[in-house]
Amino acid sequence: MSSAQAQSPAFRPLTPPRNLTRTLIERLSAEILDGSLAPGAKLPTEPEMMAALGVSRTVVREAVAALRAEGLVVTRQGVGAFVASDIQRRPFRIDPDGLRAISDVLNVMELRCGVEVEAAGLAAERATPEDVRRIAAALKAIDRAIEHDEGAVDEDFAFHRAIADATGNPQFVRFHEFLGRFIIPRQSVRAARGRMASRRAYLEMIQGEHHAIFEAIRDHQPPAARRAMRRHLENSRKRYGKLAAEGAGD
């Protein structure tokens, strides 16, 4: 290991944290993103990192693999691992482990709102009779889950997925699959179980918003569909924020 690498904060020994691999990923990511580890720079070898950091080979390999998946590191067989030459072109991703602050959660919810409002409008323009039947079936599945005192998380996801399908644009489906299970509705429904006096009343309130979205799509009213979806997702953000604020006092 070069003297410059040895002096880098990224290669100080790790103390036993909650997760050694995650800590190493975060440390190396920070050094790469702030330029401390320059584009094209060769990372130390596995044995060198193991010795410098005080971790196992598994930790090093998992961390490098994760950084490679994030587009921050490239590996060359028989040569080693290098900082990517153009980290700004790394693939977009959201790390669920990084969503610890309520502000991070709400930022993702806001992003989803921007996508799904337009999806609802396009679905209202383009939905075929079969698309409408699929959305209606997803809506009924939520009703059944509520009647059986279930959380309706998967059913809720299927409802929003059916709307994405109805746009006729596969990119909406792909983006929905990527974002759909982040935060809404899974986290908000889970939080509601412990915070709301009646989970059923809470879910029925959400379902009323779903019905308004469905009716606008069924009637091929794009502006109404966009308004209904925006109202639903903005209300979800407010509900989640309220639940989080109540939890902060526990």
Side-chain angles (χ1 to χ4, degrees), residues 104-228:
D104 296 328
V105 172
L106 295 179
N107 283 341
V108 174
M109 293 169 70
E110 192 172 76
L111 174 61
R112 185 179 173 202
C113 182
V115 173
E116 292 211 56
V117 167
E118 183 60 19
L122 291 175
E125 290 178 15
R126 303 171 179 173
T128 65
E130 180 57 30
D131 289 328
V132 173
R133 282 192 289 272
R134 279 196 293 265
I135 298 171
L139 199 61
K140 290 179 181 177
I142 298 175
D143 284 330
R144 288 194 296 270
I146 293 173
E147 289 172 4
H148 289 90
D149 196 29
E150 297 170 355
V153 173
D154 290 337
E155 292 83 359
D156 194 324
F157 180 83
F159 172 75
H160 287 272
R161 166 61 192 264
I163 293 172
D165 283 331
T167 68
N169 182 337
Q171 300 304 325
F172 275 94
V173 177
R174 291 180 60 199
F175 198 66
H176 180 268
E177 287 287 350
F178 182 81
L179 284 182
R181 293 185 183 275
F182 281 104
I183 313 309
I184 310 172
R186 185 178 298 274
Q187 289 279 18
S188 57
V189 171
R190 180 162 59 238
R193 292 176 183 173
R195 309 289 176 199
M196 305 293 285
S198 170
R199 181 177 69 172
R200 181 164 184 152
Y202 175 81
L203 294 175
E204 287 176 345
M205 176 174 58
I206 293 173
Q207 186 67 336
E209 297 169 3
H210 286 159
H211 276 280
I213 297 166
F214 167 70
E215 289 164 8
I217 293 173
R218 179 199 61 198
D219 297 340
H220 299 287
Q221 298 291 327
R226 289 186 177 94
R227 285 195 300 271

Side-chain angles (χ1 to χ4, degrees), residues 10-176:
F11 301 106
R12 295 193 307 271
L14 293 175
T15 55
R18 68 191 188 285
N19 185 305
L20 286 171
T21 301
R22 172 53 50 188
T23 299
L24 180 54
I25 292 169
E26 291 174 353
R27 183 183 288 185
L28 290 174
S29 294
E31 294 256 328
I32 291 170
L33 293 173
D34 71 12
S36 298
L37 291 172
K42 186 178 186 297
L43 297 184
T45 64
E46 284 183 359
E48 288 173 337
M49 282 199 274
M50 290 164 59
L53 300 166
V55 298
S56 69
R57 187 181 302 274
T58 298
V59 168
V60 172
R61 287 184 173 177
E62 288 180 351
V64 171
L67 293 171
R68 186 173 63 245
E70 293 180 16
L72 295 176
V73 164
V74 295
T75 55
R76 302 171 193 165
Q77 190 164 0
V79 181
F82 298 79
V83 176
S85 59
D86 187 358
I87 62 173
Q88 300 307 317
R89 297 182 63 183
R90 66 190 187 278
F92 174 76
R93 67 186 297 274
I94 295 175
D95 180 3
D97 290 335
L99 300 176
R100 298 190 183 93
I102 186 61
S103 59
D104 296 328
V105 172
L106 295 179
N107 283 341
V108 174
M109 293 169 70
E110 192 172 76
L111 174 61
R112 185 179 173 202
C113 182
V115 173
E116 292 211 56
V117 167
E118 183 60 19
L122 291 175
E125 290 178 15
R126 303 171 179 173
T128 65
E130 180 57 30
D131 289 328
V132 173
R133 282 192 289 272
R134 279 196 293 265
I135 298 171
L139 199 61
K140 290 179 181 177
I142 298 175
D143 284 330
R144 288 194 296 270
I146 293 173
E147 289 172 4
H148 289 90
D149 196 29
E150 297 170 355
V153 173
D154 290 337
E155 292 83 359
D156 194 324
F157 180 83
F159 172 75
H160 287 272
R161 166 61 192 264
I163 293 172
D165 283 331
T167 68
N169 182 337
Q171 300 304 325
F172 275 94
V173 177
R174 291 180 60 199
F175 198 66
H176 180 268

